[in-house]
């Protein structure tokens, strides 16, 4: 289904597909694959899948995924500046970055700062507070 992610397919299709990946490790691996290309932003279908991972009560940040997320968030921030879904994803990443400051470097922290600065949702103040 990866090629379908590049097309305008209903986001609910992808949400349901994500739920059919029963193992958490498979869901995490999918999120890693969606975040590996740090030279381009997420599209709306990819963001839908990523957001479903973070909405799960039993989600976890693998070290590999966590290291990919700051740059992917920065690349995606301008496309989703007014997206509450993206703001929620960024919020979770910032919370994790604050919990594990030793896992991200200055460049990754700068990428998160840039992503938060572009956000225009009602969460923008909260995102900025997490960076201070």
């Amino acid at each position: 289904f990866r090629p379908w992610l590049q097309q305008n397919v209903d986001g609910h299709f992808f949400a349901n597909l994500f739920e059919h990946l029963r193992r958490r490790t498979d869901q995490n691996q999918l999120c890693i694959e969606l975040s590996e290309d740090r030279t381009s932003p997420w599209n709306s279908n990819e963001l839908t899948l990523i957001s479903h991972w973070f909405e799960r009560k039993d989600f976890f940040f693998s070290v590999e995924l966590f290291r990919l997320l700051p740059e992917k968030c920065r690349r995606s921030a301008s496309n989703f500046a007014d997206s509450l879904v993206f703001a929620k994803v960024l919020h979770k990443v910032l919370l994790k970055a604050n919990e594990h400051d030793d896992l991200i470097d200055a460049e990754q922290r700068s990428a998160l700062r840039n992503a938060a600065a572009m956000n225009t949702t009602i969460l923008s103040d909260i995102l900025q507070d997490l960076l201070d």
Side-chain angles (χ1 to χ4, degrees):
F1 71 90
R2 294 283 311 268
W4 294 348
L5 289 172
Q6 303 309 316
Q7 300 174 12
N8 282 335
V9 178
D10 180 26
H12 295 291
F13 170 79
F14 290 111
N16 291 331
L17 177 63
F18 188 82
E19 293 301 317
H20 282 89
L21 293 174
R22 299 273 185 227
R23 296 184 345 198
R24 289 182 337 159
T25 54
D26 291 341
Q27 293 170 343
N28 181 68
Q29 185 60 40
L30 175 60
C31 292
I32 289 170
E33 289 177 22
L34 297 175
S35 302
E36 281 179 328
D37 180 4
R38 292 181 286 177
T39 63
S40 64
W42 286 310
N43 66 32
S44 59
N45 293 328
E46 292 167 334
L47 180 60
T48 297
L49 289 170
I50 293 290
S51 70
H52 278 284
W53 174 237
F54 290 144
E55 288 172 4
R56 292 186 54 94
K57 290 183 183 359
D58 59 349
F59 90 96
F60 62 92
F61 282 93
S62 67
V63 173
E64 185 178 5
L65 177 60
F66 185 59
R67 289 196 173 134
L68 296 171
L69 288 173
E71 182 60 25
K72 197 64 173 187
C73 286
R74 186 185 70 75
R75 295 272 179 195
S76 303
S78 61
N79 292 356
F80 299 108
D82 61 348
S83 167
L84 196 53
V85 172
F86 178 76
K88 288 178 180 180
V89 167
L90 184 56
H91 181 255
K92 293 265 186 164
V93 173
L94 288 170
L95 285 173
K96 190 65 166 184
N98 286 340
E99 288 175 16
H100 299 284
D101 193 40
D102 57 321
L103 290 179
I104 64 171
D105 59 29
E107 185 178 327
Q108 291 169 312
R109 183 156 303 279
S110 176
L112 291 172
R113 189 173 308 283
N114 290 340
M118 289 184 216
N119 192 272
T120 61
T121 67
I122 59 172
L123 294 178
S124 63
D125 289 340
I126 294 170
L127 298 175
Q128 289 300 320
D129 287 346
L130 286 171
L131 289 165
D132 295 335

